[in-house]
């Protein structure tokens, strides 16, 4: 069974721009969560989607948003990028009913210059 | 502020020894506890989860949960150099991760 895939794997953007990251969960997984990982803050939860609805949200500003499609694929968007948004963005998927047993994708490394 | 605390390490153990990793949490309502392993440059990988007080064993790994004392631990028996990684403790209900403990197993 194929794992979680994320595209693109690497991205360089300029301050003020916006970016969209994509995540395809493991087949059959309907829950998708997004995380930001930085050396200083560690792994921080952004939001979780299930059946196209946002169920949980972390403590991030409104510039960070996401959505989920009917095929469970998910996107996250960051608008008005700041230097501090440079991070590894990880997507994780899980089965419905076992939301916290998550399987992570390889991540998208975002660099903001 | 709900917190998940881990000793950042590095924790160094010789090959074959038992590695003990600890995690404390502040939210008494937490119900699910997970251990993830993250190799350098890779994404986290789920290795253990525990929901009930007591011990849960899976191969060389044992997770221990004590809700009264609000700690969860991971024991790795017969540690191997391939176990060298950062171990992340995760406490739900709000998807909160600890900062991770870096483990080095020396041959």
């Amino acid at each position: 069974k194929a794992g979680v895939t994320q595209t693109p794997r690497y991205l360089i953007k300029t301050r003020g721009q916006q970016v969209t990251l994509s995540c395809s969960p493991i087949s059959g997984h309907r829950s998708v969560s997004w995380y930001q990982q930085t050396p200083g803050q560690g792994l921080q939860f952004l939001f979780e989607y299930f059946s196209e609805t946002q169920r949980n949200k972390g403590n991030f500003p409104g510039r960070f948003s996401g959505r989920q499609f009917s095929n469970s694929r998910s996107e996250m968007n960051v608008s008005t990028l700041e230097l501090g948004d440079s991070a590894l963005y990880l997507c994780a998927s899980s089965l419905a009913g076992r939301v916290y047993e998550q399987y992570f994708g390889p991540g998208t490394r975002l660099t903001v210059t | 502020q709900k917190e998940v605390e881990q000793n950042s390490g590095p924790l160094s153990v010789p090959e074959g020894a038992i590695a003990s990793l600890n995690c404390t949490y502040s939210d008494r309502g937490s119900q699910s506890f997970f251990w993830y392993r993250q190799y350098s440059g890779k994404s986290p990988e789920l290795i253990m989860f525990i929901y009930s007080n007591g011990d849960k064993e899976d191969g060389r790994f044992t997770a221990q949960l004590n809700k009264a004392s609000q700690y969860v631990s991971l024991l790795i028996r017969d540690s191997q150099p391939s176990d060298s990684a950062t171990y992340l403790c995760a406490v739900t209900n709000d998807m909160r991760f600890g900062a991770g403990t870096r483990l080095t197993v020396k041959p």
Side-chain angles (χ1 to χ4, degrees), chain A residues 18-91:
Chain A
Q18 76 164 18
V19 66
T20 298
L21 312 181
S22 182
C23 171
S24 293
I26 293 171
S27 178
H29 285 196
R30 293 171 59 192
S31 172
V32 174
S33 298
W34 288 90
Y35 295 85
Q36 181 195 66
Q37 188 172 36
T38 60
Q41 298 297 318
L43 195 60
Q44 293 186 287
F45 171 68
L46 282 155
F47 28 67
E48 183 232 343
Y49 285 88
F50 180 79
S51 291
E52 302 178 64
T53 301
Q54 187 181 90
R55 290 204 300 193
N56 287 298
K57 188 177 189 301
N59 188 27
F60 277 80
R63 300 185 296 108
F64 292 81
S65 63
R67 60 178 176 168
Q68 187 180 35
F69 302 96
S70 59
N71 61 358
S72 295
R73 191 177 69 86
S74 178
E75 289 181 347
M76 69 162 281
N77 183 276
V78 188
S79 62
T80 319
L81 284 166
E82 300 176 0
L83 294 179
D85 296 333
S86 295
L88 180 67
Y89 289 89
L90 291 159
C91 164

Side-chain angles (χ1 to χ4, degrees), chain A residues 33 35 37 43 45 48 56 88 90 98-107, chain B residues 32 34 36 38 42-46 49 51 88 92-95 97-99:
Chain A
S33 298
Y35 295 85
Q37 188 172 36
L43 195 60
F45 171 68
E48 183 232 343
N56 287 298
L88 180 67
L90 291 159
R98 302 180 77 85
V99 172
Y100 304 129
E101 297 172 28
Q102 301 182 17
Y103 297 86
F104 283 83
Chain B
S32 311
F34 297 81
Y36 287 83
Q38 188 172 24
K42 301 293 185 182
S43 55
E45 171 192 13
L46 178 65
F49 56 89
Y51 302 132
L88 302 167
T92 58
N93 309 326
D94 56 356
M95 313 287 202
F97 281 76

Side-chain angles (χ1 to χ4, degrees), chain B residues 9-54:
Chain B
L11 173 66
S12 181
V13 300
E15 184 175 355
I18 295 176
S20 178
L21 306 163
N22 299 310
C23 172
T24 59
Y25 60 94
S26 62
D27 181 9
R28 282 196 171 275
S30 300
Q31 310 237 343
S32 311
F33 307 85
F34 297 81
W35 284 99
Y36 287 83
R37 175 177 62 199
Q38 188 172 24
Y39 292 114
S40 180
K42 301 293 185 182
S43 55
E45 171 192 13
L46 178 65
I47 53 173
M48 288 286 289
F49 56 89
I50 186 166
Y51 302 132
S52 305
N53 275 330

